[in-house]
Amino acid sequence: MLRRLVAGLAALVLVVEAAVLVLVHVVLGKTTQSQSMSIAGSDPELMAKATYGLGAAMGAFLLFCAVLLAVIAVRDRAPGRFARVVLVVAAVTHAVLGALALGLVGWGAFAVLMLILCLLVLTLMLYAGPGPGDVRDSGDPRRPEDAPPPGFEGLRPTNP
């Protein structure tokens, strides 16, 4: 139940973040387009188009991550390798953006980005599959270091 709630909440937060980022990039693009000067010889029209493109790309990536998280929440199954890699990339991106936001924007933006990072990491950790040496799946009550290697179950240790 907790896993589904966290994954669904992370999906919802990423949808809101995508909408906010697209809106911010539209405002930045409009502002850049309406200026009549060039910055170090750059074309304002080209900078506005690049801003729109970056906003659309970031929004699409975040919406894709939100769809992956929503599918994980609905199915209540661990993500596949591709989905896990995409979500790790999103988490690392939020960590880097959080560090930049702390210096450029302030503590509020940093806290929001760290909250999203925590939701992504918590989702990945809650849906982490058991490791290859995990005794919970093998039904063996012994610790993994006490269990004999595969193929040597019938052999017993001897004292010298």
Side-chain angles (χ1 to χ4, degrees):
M1 178 67 181
L2 177 68
R3 299 184 327 172
R4 296 178 111 171
L5 179 68
V6 170
L9 183 63
L12 182 67
V13 167
L14 284 182
V15 168
V16 171
E17 181 187 13
V20 168
L21 279 177
V22 168
L23 179 67
V24 165
H25 279 83
V26 166
V27 169
L28 286 174
K30 293 270 186 205
T31 304
T32 305
Q33 196 171 20
S34 65
Q35 72 180 0
S36 61
M37 61 181 177
S38 67
I39 300 173
S42 300
D43 181 25
E45 188 68 31
L46 179 65
M47 290 191 311
K49 288 180 182 176
T51 303
Y52 293 143
L54 182 63
M58 288 176 66
F61 176 70
L62 290 174
L63 286 178
F64 180 64
C65 291
V67 167
L68 290 176
L69 287 167
V71 168
I72 291 168
V74 168
R75 290 185 181 170
D76 198 23
R77 288 190 349 200
R81 181 174 295 169
F82 176 73
R84 190 174 300 274
V85 167
V86 169
L87 293 176
V88 166
V89 167
V92 169
T93 303
H94 278 86
V96 171
L97 287 177
L100 289 172
L102 178 60
L104 297 174
V105 181
W107 286 101
F110 175 76
V112 169
L113 287 168
M114 291 303 106
L115 172 73
I116 297 169
L117 171 67
C118 289
L119 285 172
L120 289 170
V121 171
L122 184 59
T123 301
L124 288 170
M125 295 302 294
L126 287 175
Y127 281 100
D134 199 355
V135 290
R136 289 178 284 174
D137 282 349
S138 66
D140 192 354
R142 297 178 290 183
R143 297 185 316 226
E145 60 269 6
D146 293 339
F152 293 96
E153 288 85 13
L155 297 178
R156 304 222 182 262
T158 58
N159 289 337

